[in-house]
Amino acid sequence: MATDATRKFPDPEFRPIPQPPDFHPEIVVSAHDGLYFWQFMVAGSIAGSVEHMAMFPIDTIKTRMQALGSCPIKSVGFGHAVRSLLRSDGPSAFYRGIGAMGLGAGPAHAVYFSVYEVSKKFLSRGNSSNSAAHAVSGVFATVASDAVFTPMDMVKQRLQLGNSPYKGVLDCVNRVLKEGGLKAFYASYRTTVLMNAPFTAVHFSTYEAAKRGLMGISPETADDERLVVHATAGAVAGALAAAVTTPLDVVKTQLQCQGICGCDRFKSGSISDVFRTILKKDGYQGLLRGWIPRMVFHAPAAAICWSTYEASKTFFQELNDSSSCTTT
């Protein structure tokens, strides 16, 4: 009995080795391996739709502020823009064009995130700290998704303008096709890609780095605080990327809204032509028109988008795991 009793107690020769005060367990960032391509697409579609629908009123203010000519809002002031919009068109104007956004955001973000995940897996080679791979993957994603999103984005922005001549999405599509043909829907595609390429490169690399940094602050509770981590990292990434690329966003809006509601029409449609026109008319501050609503839009939008996307990925991961358990 004595022999059995002594076995219940640990050998005094084997004691736990004390860890240094700065010791932290290894941080493992889930790569969500095992998800199918269509699951990335569905998760991205949900995230993009939720993000753009939630932030649409801010996007409307930004579009109004960036439009030149005789459009109702010419001031760079955010508060003035809101008051002018309410006074001229009423509260419903905040959601004018949301139908076009609904048609474009889902498919575009399905392409966006699925291309990003596939590219990231191929380029990073399993290294979650490879910021260059994240940036390049983001550029690949935006080139593909902008080809899907640009036509509906153009329709959306034309509907958002004050005193817009279009009755709705279908009317705008039909009239643009008659007046400018299919190429009119892609008038800003080059500018959009040139804007979104650096935007996405900054966005994705900042997000991945911020996510790792935030999880490193408290690795023991990282799983419990995963939603907060994704939302915070997304907000930081969205705000920084938006601030850096505001001038190109102003140019994009000019190209998509040219000739509507008194906005300038450009002869060549080149980016340099639009830049010169803005500088001549408003100076350098014209290139920063709408920067406040742009940051106000992208910080919470990215937080909503990333947290929704990561939550959707986690859902599919758990679904796949449960399915594999039942089949074994």
Side-chain angles (χ1 to χ4, degrees), residues 64 71-72 88-89 93 96-97 154-169 171-172 175 257 259-262:
R64 293 281 189 105
C71 295
S88 62
D89 296 298
R96 186 171 169 81
M154 185 273 287
V155 172
K156 181 264 299 180
Q157 289 200 314
R158 290 193 174 210
L159 290 171
Q160 284 176 318
L161 293 176
N163 303 317
S164 175
Y166 305 109
K167 297 177 182 178
V169 175
D171 179 51
C172 182
R175 289 174 62 176
C257 298
I260 305 299
C261 298

Side-chain angles (χ1 to χ4, degrees), residues 34 46 84 94 101 105 115 129 191 221 233 235 248 280 285 291 294 299:
I46 294 170
S84 297
F94 285 109
M101 177 61 76
V115 171
S129 302
T191 309
T221 59
L248 284 169
K280 183 178 179 180
Q285 70 173 8
W291 72 272
R294 181 165 164 77

Side-chain angles (χ1 to χ4, degrees), residues 222-276:
D223 287 337
D224 297 332
E225 299 172 354
R226 190 171 293 276
L227 181 63
V228 176
V229 167
H230 292 151
T232 306
V236 171
L240 179 61
V244 170
T245 57
T246 293
L248 284 169
D249 188 52
V250 174
V251 173
K252 184 203 76 168
T253 300
Q254 293 297 304
L255 286 170
Q256 292 191 154
C257 298
Q258 57 181 315
I260 305 299
C261 298
C263 297
D264 296 315
R265 183 176 289 279
F266 305 98
K267 294 180 180 179
S268 66
S270 68
I271 296 171
S272 58
D273 183 27
V274 180
F275 263 114
R276 284 193 295 270

Side-chain angles (χ1 to χ4, degrees), residues 17-77:
I17 301 173
Q19 300 293 346
D22 60 344
F23 171 77
H24 295 291
E26 182 182 358
I27 302 168
V28 179
V29 180
S30 173
H32 294 278
D33 292 332
L35 263 65
Y36 297 104
F37 187 78
W38 69 267
Q39 291 174 327
F40 286 126
M41 295 189 73
V42 172
S45 180
I46 294 170
S49 297
V50 171
E51 168 203 350
H52 284 286
M53 295 300 178
M55 302 304 300
F56 194 81
I58 303 297
D59 183 64
T60 298
I61 297 168
K62 182 215 69 168
T63 298
R64 293 281 189 105
M65 291 175 69
Q66 289 179 342
L68 294 176
S70 60
C71 295
I73 295 172
K74 301 176 185 178
S75 172
V76 178

